[in-house]
Each structure stands twice: as C-alpha cells, then as structure tokens.
C-alpha cells in the first residue's frame, strides 16, 4: 500500500533538492551539444519542413561521423511548429527552457518566425530562418537572428531581370496573401518599368482554396504575356491545374520551393509545361550545392533544402570557431566564419578541418555565399533558374 | 524547466478564460459559437493597437479590448438570432475567418500579414523574461479566479437558470414570458467579453499578434477543453483547459520515447494521440470529467407528501 507520509514527502523533497544542487560538471565531458530544430511538420508548411529537417540531419550526421565538434557529438531536438504561431511559441519555449538549446533552426512561415523571434532574443537564443518578409529582420532582435532567404527586394529584382530576358513584357502577378506579397509586386514593377515592361494585373488570393479559376480569369483580363506566380507548393499546384484547364499556355514563373520535384511528380507533365523556377544559389562552380544534393540524394535540391543545409553547417562551424556553445557565442561569431577573406570552404566537415589547422574560413553555402548584414539579411546571392521539361526540373541558367 | 512550466501556466490560464467565456455562450445558453478565435482576435488587436500606437495604459487597453469584443459579440448575436445548432456554428465560424481575412488584407491599421510586434507588457524590460512570465502568471491566475467567480455567480442566478432553460427548450422559456432574444444577446455579450479579455492578455504576454495566430486550431483546442472538462460547468472549463494544455505539452516528452518513428511521424502521432484522447473522453465521460451539476428538485414520493409540500409552499 502506497502511503504518503510527511517523512516520505520530506525525504523526496530533500532528494530532489540534492539532484538540483549537483554541479553541471558532474556530467561527462563529452555530453552532446543540443541543437533545436523547429520546422513545420504538419499544417501548410508540412510539405517543406520534413525536407529541411532531413537536410539538417544529414549535415549533423556527417559531422558526427567525423567526431563531432569540440569533441562532442551533435544531438538534435526536433519540435513541430504546426505552421501556427501559437503552437510554435509553445514549442520554442519547450526547446529553450527544457532542452536549453543555444539555437533554433528552421522556422518557415513569416508569422511563425515573428512570433518565435521575441521568445528567442529575450532568452538569448539564436534563430535561423527562411522567412522572406522584409519586416522580420527589422524586429529589434539584437543580432540573435539571421535568415538565408534573400529579402523581397533582392528576389523580386532578380526575378524581374529574368522575366525581361525571357521576353516578359506584360507581366501578370498572381500570389498568396503573405507579408511578401506587396513588396514583391513593388520591386518587380520597379525593375520592369524602366525597361518598358509593365505589370498588367496583380491578384492576391487566399490560401487553402480548392480552385483559383475566378482569380485566373480576373488575371487574364490584363492580357499578360508572362505569368509570375508567388505562392507556396499546395496552392501553386492548384493554380497550375486551373491554368491548364483554362487553356492558358503562357510561360509561368514560380519560386523553386513552390514547384519542387516531389510535387511535380504528382501532376501530369502537360500541367507543368512551360514553368520556370528560380532560387537563390551559390556560384556554379561552388561544390556546396552538389555536396548538398549528394548528401540527401536529390538531383536538384530546392531553395529551402539548400538553406537548411547552410544553417546546419553555419551552426557547426560557429561553435567550432567560438569554442563555446551559447546563443551569444553564435551571435558574436557567426559572421567570422561565413564572410571575410578566410579560406573558402563548402561543407561543415571541410570547414572543421581548416579551422583545426588554425586558419580563418569563409563558408560558401549551397544557397549562396552566406554573407550577412548587421541586421541578419544576406548581402547578395546568385539565382539559379530551372525549366520544367516533361515534368522534370532541368537546369537553365545561373545569373 | 520551471520557466517553461510558468509559461505553460500562462497559456493554460488564457485557455481557461476562453473556456469560461465559451461556457456561458455554449455550455449555458446552448449556442454553438465556433467564432471564438474571432473575438479573441478583436480583443488582442484592440488592446494591442491602443497601447502600441496611441500609448494607452495597458489596463485601459485591455478593458477596451473586452468592450470591443463584447460589442461585436452583441452584433453577431443580433444578426444570428434566428439561427440555432449547426447553422449558428457555421455562421460564427465564418465570422472568425472573416476577421482573419480582414486583418490579413488591412495594411493601414492592422499592418496586414506582418502583424503587430512590440506590444508592450507590464514592466517587461524592468523584470527580464523570467520574472515577467512569473508576474504574468500571477495576473492571469488572478483574472481567471475573478472570472471564475463571476461565471459561478451567473450560473446560480435567475439569469443563469433562464439561459439553461433556453438551452433545453427555448419555446417553453418564451411561453413563460421571458425575452429569449435578449437573454441570448446578453449571454453573447458576457461570453465574448471574456474572450476579448483573454485575447488582450495574450497579446501583452507574447508581444506579437498576426492574423495567422487566429486560425480555427485555437477554437478547436478550447472546444476540446470544454468537452473534456464538462460543458456547462465552470470547474470543468478550468480543469479542461489545464488538461488540454498539459496534454498538448506532455505529448512532446512522450513522442521521443516511441521507438522506430521519425520526427515527422512523431508529429503526426502527437495529433493522433490528441484525437484518441478526445474520443476516449467522449466515449467514457460523455458529459466531461467534471459533469454539470444540476440541482434536482426533491420530488415527493407519495401524494400525501406532495400535498404536504404544496401546503408548505403556499
């Protein structure tokens, strides 16, 4: 019979107090480094989160096989942000307060990042994200945030140049309602107008709709010769299907994450004909992209997968450079390994070797050169354009 | 760990406030309101905007948030006055989605999908994150306790009796000479004020709100709280809210121990566990873990006693 007596409670309390009082050093020297991963595994981002998670895990496994960093293995703690800011904040608090992670990698939706960011900077935890909204890096994050996704300005300007080169003169924009929607339109217009092009229609649609036929009809009223889609994978698929049904055979541009190969495999080749995709990319001779592709066994990893690869590599290299594991060490040292005049390295393992020789390094990533401004935006990058041919993504050009 | 528990305590408290508010509308008056998160959003946005843009003091902002939610509650109640059951549920769900879409597209005031960041919290800078959370837990617990007693007072008042009457049979209440519409509107006014209060406090706690926050997921969690705790019962509402947050969070710690599944499968399993828990509760505790207690009138067992009872009461 289990009886709770005062003595038992006192004994239990004393035992608990003793455990809590044990010094941190009582743990083994080789205690693994815990890194928090907070990607969407369910909800609207459920398409991209798992692929990003796979890319990061692949890098950490590679590093662990080579003996880890600072003599310690890397252990990931994965939480699902449910593509919902409220759920994401609860998950972030768990990672920070319970697992004591020095950094969180992986928030995807801009609203989720904006909600999680204050929790991170208040507790001095470093955050890396793909959220593209310009407003994210303008938050008072005190340096505890970087993003590998180019700002709307960088992206839309590059896309505008591409559309012009492709012969797009009368461009129609059809995109999801998101923080980047208006900014993209403005920068696209600013690029095309001086050349003599124009934006003939601009339609913003609501996510999760089963059909976008009325939006498409509205868009076609402007008689465009090029269609610029600006959504995520679930809605872009619906959009492409509806455009095919409506018999629209115009060239269409989409972000690479909106039309990844796994999604293309689920739709007929006729539907995805004449689709072009763009993504931020490293130099063509940069082996980082090829290494990332080989690591996860994908022929053409999209922008998100490349960026996730870079976060994991940046995390490992910064820890090695700082010789410390904390959010503050991340913030103070991340720019010391990814920019400057050090030796160029293209993977975490390679960088660790060069660092061990006592040399400076400059990590060149799979998604771009990974050079950051003071507020955490990338300075610039190249753009890799692909063409969908018979349902398969094929390399077109690098600008 | 303790800081995490404090933050989850605040979340549970806010869920409990919403559950208490919902309980008046749904549990007592029997009006299925799936627009909960819309009123929560109105409270959060009103208080957030007033304190952020116009520099109002936080308590005043919260009161304004409650008032705004309550006024919109009255409007929704008047519009939907002829609707009952599933029809009311659909319309209120539509109301919440409309609120979300409006906030997403409104750039001038609500800042569109970027949302509002930097909403002030009481003494946020001075206290630091941990003390701030602890202080907020104190505030939330105090407010929940006050709200609890207010709702309890309502339950045992003649007003509460009429609401339960409307829930069980609207026509009889009307025949008894009660203005059913007025009672429904009042129930909405009170319940949505509580929802607005929860929203305002949530905004000041997390410092950030955006339209994506107000997705139907939150409505379902609070509905789950009420179903698990016991519909129509204040203790049940609070117990249910705490249980739901406890369950949502504790599953995080269980999943890593399940062998042979990936993180993605783990996330799906977590949602499955929540669904199973709801099914179990509904199957074995159809009226919730703490069922509503309805005072049963003592029925006389023999005619002689009956005449005695009648004699006494006249």
């Amino acid at each position: 019979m289990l009886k709770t007596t005062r003595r038992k409670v006192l004994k239990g309390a004393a035992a608990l107090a003793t455990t809590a009082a044990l010094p941190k050093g009582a743990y083994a020297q080789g205690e693994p480094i815990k890194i928090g991963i907070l990607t969407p595994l369910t909800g609207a981002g459920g398409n991209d989160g798992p692929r990003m998670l796979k890319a990061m895990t692949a890098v950490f496994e590679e590093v662990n096989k080579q003996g880890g960093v600072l003599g310690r293995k890397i252990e990931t703690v994965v939480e699902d942000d449910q593509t919902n800011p409220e759920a994401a904040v609860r998950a972030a608090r768990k990672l920070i307060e319970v697992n004591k992670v020095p950094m969180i990698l992986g928030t995807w939706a801009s609203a989720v990042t904006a909600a999680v960011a204050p929790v991170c900077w208040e507790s001095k935890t470093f955050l890396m994200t793909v959220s593209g909204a310009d407003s994210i890096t303008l938050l008072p994050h005190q340096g505890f945030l970087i993003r590998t996704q180019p700002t709307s300005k960088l992206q839309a300007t590059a896309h505008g140049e591409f559309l012009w080169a492709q012969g797009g003169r009368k461009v129609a924009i059809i995109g999801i309602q998101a923080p980047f929607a208006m900014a993209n339109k403005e920068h696209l217009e600013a690029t095309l107008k001086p050349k003599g092009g124009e934006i003939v229609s601009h339609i913003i649609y609501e996510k999760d709709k089963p059909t976008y036929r009325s939006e498409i009809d509205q868009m076609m009223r402007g008689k465009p010769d090029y269609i610029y889609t600006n959504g995520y994978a679930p809605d872009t698929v619906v959009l492409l299907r509806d455009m095919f049904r409506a018999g629209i055979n115009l060239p269409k541009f989409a972000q690479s994450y909106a039309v990844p190969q796994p999604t293309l495999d689920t739709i007929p080749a006729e539907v995805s004909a004449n689709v072009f995709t763009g993504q931020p990319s490293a130099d063509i001779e940069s082996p980082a992209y090829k290494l990332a592709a080989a690591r996860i066994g994908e022929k053409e990893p999209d922008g998100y997968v490349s960026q996730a690869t870079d976060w994991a590599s940046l995390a490992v290299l910064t820890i090695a450079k700082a010789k410390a594991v904390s959010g503050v060490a991340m913030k103070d040292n991340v720019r010391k390994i990814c920019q400057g005049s050090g030796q160029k390295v293209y993977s975490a393992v390679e960088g660790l070797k060069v660092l061990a020789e006592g040399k400076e390094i400059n990590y060149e990533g799979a998604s771009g050169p990974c050079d950051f401004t003071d507020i955490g935006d990338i300075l610039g990058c190249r753009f890799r354009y692909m063409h969908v041919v018979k349902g398969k993504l094929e390399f077109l050009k690098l600008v | 760990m303790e800081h995490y528990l404090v933050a989850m305590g605040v979340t549970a408290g806010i869920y409990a406030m919403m559950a208490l508010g919902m309980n008046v509308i749904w549990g007592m008056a029997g009006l299925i309101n799936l627009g909960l998160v819309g009123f929560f959003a109105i409270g959060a946005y009103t208080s957030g905007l007033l304190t952020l843009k116009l520099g109002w003091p936080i308590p005043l902002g919260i009161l304004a948030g409650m008032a705004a939610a309550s006024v919109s509650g009255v409007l929704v109640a008047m519009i939907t006055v002829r609707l009952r059951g599933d029809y009311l549920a659909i319309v209120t769900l539509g109301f919440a989605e409309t609120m979300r879409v409006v906030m997403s597209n409104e750039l001038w005031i609500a800042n569109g999908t970027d949302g509002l960041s930097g909403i002030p919290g009481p003494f946020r800078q001075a206290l630091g994150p941990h003390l701030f959370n602890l202080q907020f837990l104190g505030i939330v617990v105090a407010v929940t306790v006050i709200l609890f007693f207010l709702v309890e007072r309502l339950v045992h008042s003649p007003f509460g009796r009429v609401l339960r009457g409307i829930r069980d049979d609207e026509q009889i209440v009307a025949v008894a000479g009660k203005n059913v519409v007025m009672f429904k509107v009042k129930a909405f006014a009170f319940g949505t004020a509580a929802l607005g209060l929860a929203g305002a406090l949530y905004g000041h706690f997390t410092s950030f709100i955006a339209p994506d926050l107000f997705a139907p997921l939150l409505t379902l969690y609070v509905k789950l709280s009420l179903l698990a705790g016991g519909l129509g019962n204040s203790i049940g509402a609070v117990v249910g809210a705490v249980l739901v947050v406890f369950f949502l969070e504790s599953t995080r710690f269980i999943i890593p121990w399940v062998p042979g599944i990936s993180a993605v499968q783990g996330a799906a399993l977590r949602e499955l566990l929540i669904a199973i828990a709801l099914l179990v509760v509904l199957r074995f505790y159809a009226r919730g873990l703490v069922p509503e207690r309805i005072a049963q009138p003592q029925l006389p067992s023999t005619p002689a006693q009956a005449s005695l009872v009648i004699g006494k009461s006249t």
Side-chain angles (χ1 to χ4, degrees), chain A residues 194-276:
Chain A
K195 297 174 193 289
E198 60 174 325
I199 305 292
V200 290
S201 46
H202 178 217
I203 308 295
I204 289 181
Y205 57 77
E206 191 55 30
K207 61 177 179 189
D208 299 336
K209 279 179 74 172
T211 171
Y212 292 110
R213 187 57 199 258
S214 60
E215 282 89 346
I216 289 169
D217 289 345
Q218 220 178 323
M219 170 189 78
M220 292 310 287
R221 230 183 274 166
K223 300 201 187 329
D225 58 14
Y226 212 109
I227 296 168
Y228 180 89
T229 70
N230 195 20
Y232 296 119
D235 44 278
T236 304
V237 169
V238 177
L239 207 58
L240 289 178
R241 280 211 175 103
D242 281 350
M243 282 198 266
F244 175 71
R245 284 194 194 115
I248 298 168
N249 204 17
L250 296 172
K252 303 160 207 80
F253 179 85
Q255 295 271 14
S256 71
Y257 54 73
V259 213
Q261 191 59 53
T263 305
L264 280 174
D265 293 340
T266 64
I267 52 176
E270 303 87 67
V271 173
S272 58
N274 227 353
V275 170
F276 297 85

Side-chain angles (χ1 to χ4, degrees), chain A residues 79 86 90 135 177-179, chain B residues 7 15 105 113-114 213 249 252:
Chain A
E79 285 294 337
E86 196 265 342
R90 281 189 278 115
S135 54
Q177 178 58 290
Chain B
Y15 274 41
N105 291 287
T113 38
D114 278 344
L213 202 63
E249 291 303 312
R252 281 185 210 289

Side-chain angles (χ1 to χ4, degrees), chain B residues 14 61 85 134 136 142 160 169 217 231 249 265 269 285 297 308 310:
Chain B
I14 286 171
L134 202 61
F136 219 93
D169 195 328
L217 185 70
L231 201 54
E249 291 303 312
Q265 289 163 329
L269 183 63
Y285 302 91
L308 214 67
I310 293 164

Side-chain angles (χ1 to χ4, degrees), chain B residues 51-70:
Chain B
T51 50
L52 192 66
K53 303 244 161 125
L54 298 182
W56 282 32
I58 294 168
L60 221 58
I62 293 176
L63 284 179
M66 284 173 74
S70 187

Side-chain angles (χ1 to χ4, degrees), chain A residues 118-366:
Chain A
V119 181
C120 286
W121 80 64
E122 275 175 5
S123 53
K124 303 197 186 327
T125 306
F126 198 71
L127 179 66
M128 295 195 215
T129 171
V130 289
S131 300
D134 287 354
S135 54
I136 300 274
T137 42
L138 300 176
L139 294 169
H141 57 70
Q142 302 145 35
F144 286 100
L145 183 154
I146 57 170
R147 67 155 157 223
T148 41
Q149 182 86 342
T151 55
S152 299
K153 185 177 179 184
L154 263 173
Q155 293 197 50
T157 310
H159 295 163
E161 302 282 352
F162 175 77
L163 295 189
W164 184 260
Q166 287 269 305
R169 297 294 176 264
K170 295 171 139 199
V171 175
I173 305 174
I174 183 161
I176 198 163
Q177 178 58 290
F180 51 71
M182 285 312 289
N184 261 38
K185 185 230 167 192
E186 280 158 24
H187 296 303
L188 210 55
E189 197 160 28
T191 314
L192 288 172
K193 259 223 172 111
K195 297 174 193 289
E198 60 174 325
I199 305 292
V200 290
S201 46
H202 178 217
I203 308 295
I204 289 181
Y205 57 77
E206 191 55 30
K207 61 177 179 189
D208 299 336
K209 279 179 74 172
T211 171
Y212 292 110
R213 187 57 199 258
S214 60
E215 282 89 346
I216 289 169
D217 289 345
Q218 220 178 323
M219 170 189 78
M220 292 310 287
R221 230 183 274 166
K223 300 201 187 329
D225 58 14
Y226 212 109
I227 296 168
Y228 180 89
T229 70
N230 195 20
Y232 296 119
D235 44 278
T236 304
V237 169
V238 177
L239 207 58
L240 289 178
R241 280 211 175 103
D242 281 350
M243 282 198 266
F244 175 71
R245 284 194 194 115
I248 298 168
N249 204 17
L250 296 172
K252 303 160 207 80
F253 179 85
Q255 295 271 14
S256 71
Y257 54 73
V259 213
Q261 191 59 53
T263 305
L264 280 174
D265 293 340
T266 64
I267 52 176
E270 303 87 67
V271 173
S272 58
N274 227 353
V275 170
F276 297 85
T277 70
Q279 70 182 78
S281 169
D283 273 329
I284 189 132
E285 60 269 25
S286 155
Y289 185 74
K290 280 174 201 149
L291 280 173
R295 199 179 291 125
I296 55 165
E298 244 180 63
K299 197 171 154 239
E300 297 284 359
D302 70 17
Y304 286 151
V305 170
S306 321
Q307 293 181 42
T309 302
D310 291 344
W311 301 332
S313 311
L314 289 172
V316 169
L317 295 174
T318 311
I319 290 171
K321 176 76 184 171
K323 297 195 171 61
V325 186
S326 75
V328 178
M330 285 298 297
K331 166 181 90 114
D332 292 340
N333 291 286
V334 69
R335 286 173 183 79
K336 292 183 187 161
I337 51 106
C338 62
Q339 50 213 70
S341 54
Q343 184 181 335
K344 284 191 178 183
V345 295
Y346 301 98
S347 74
V349 171
E350 186 193 352
L352 285 176
K353 277 186 197 139
V354 179
L355 275 177
E357 292 164 12
K359 289 188 206 153
E360 294 293 319
I361 56 164
N362 173 14
Y363 174 74
E364 298 277 306

Side-chain angles (χ1 to χ4, degrees), chain A residues 41-43 50 53 78-80 82-87 89-95 97-100 109-112 114-116 118-119 121-123 133-135 139-140 177-180 182 204 206-208, chain B residues 1-5 7-8 11 15 97 100-101 104-107 113-114 117-118 124-125 129-130 132-133 202 205-208 210 212-215 217-218 221 245 248-249 252-253 256 263-264 267-268 270-271:
Chain A
L41 301 176
T42 55
L53 171 62
V78 183
E79 285 294 337
D80 176 14
Q82 298 179 257
T83 329
N84 177 294
E86 196 265 342
V89 165
R90 281 189 278 115
R93 286 196 196 277
K94 185 255 176 185
L95 287 173
E97 306 287 8
V98 180
N99 303 113
K100 311 273 181 208
S110 292
V112 168
V116 168
V119 181
W121 80 64
E122 275 175 5
S123 53
D134 287 354
S135 54
L139 294 169
Q177 178 58 290
F180 51 71
M182 285 312 289
I204 289 181
E206 191 55 30
K207 61 177 179 189
D208 299 336
Chain B
M1 186 75 181
E2 61 276 14
H3 302 312
Y4 166 70
L5 291 178
M8 289 316 120
T11 312
Y15 274 41
E97 280 293 279
R100 189 177 64 75
V101 174
S104 310
N105 291 287
E106 207 294 310
L107 295 173
T113 38
D114 278 344
S117 53
R124 189 189 292 279
Q125 261 71 43
H130 292 150
F132 174 78
N133 287 359
Y202 185 81
F205 177 57
T206 59
S207 86
F208 172 78
D212 278 10
L213 202 63
F214 308 110
L217 185 70
L218 198 58
Y221 284 158
V245 173
L248 286 176
E249 291 303 312
R252 281 185 210 289
F253 297 91
V264 182
R270 221 180 124 221
E271 302 209 323

Side-chain angles (χ1 to χ4, degrees), chain B residues 49-116:
Chain B
L49 283 169
L50 288 175
T51 50
L52 192 66
K53 303 244 161 125
L54 298 182
W56 282 32
I58 294 168
L60 221 58
I62 293 176
L63 284 179
M66 284 173 74
S70 187
V71 168
S72 38
V74 168
L75 286 177
V76 170
M78 305 241 261
I79 295 167
T80 58
V81 82
R82 287 171 182 281
L83 301 176
R84 256 186 286 173
D86 303 347
Y87 302 99
L88 180 63
I90 292 292
V91 171
T92 47
L93 186 65
F95 165 76
E97 280 293 279
T98 310
M99 288 314 301
R100 189 177 64 75
V101 174
V102 168
M103 310 288 192
S104 310
N105 291 287
E106 207 294 310
L107 295 173
W108 177 53
I109 302 175
N111 208 17
T113 38
D114 278 344
L116 301 177

Side-chain angles (χ1 to χ4, degrees), chain B residues 16-17 20-21 23-24 28 63 66 141-161 163-164 186-187 189-191 193-195 197 233-235 238:
Chain B
M17 276 177 229
L20 283 169
N23 214 4
V24 175
M28 285 165 67
L63 284 179
M66 284 173 74
V141 167
V143 172
T144 311
V145 168
I146 294 170
L147 193 63
F148 176 84
F149 282 108
L150 279 177
V151 173
E152 271 300 286
R153 185 72 201 84
L154 211 61
V155 168
H156 297 294
S157 69
F159 180 78
R161 271 204 302 277
L163 285 190
R164 285 195 296 275
K186 279 183 188 162
F190 186 89
L195 297 174
L197 171 68
N233 176 338
S234 308
I235 297 175
V238 175

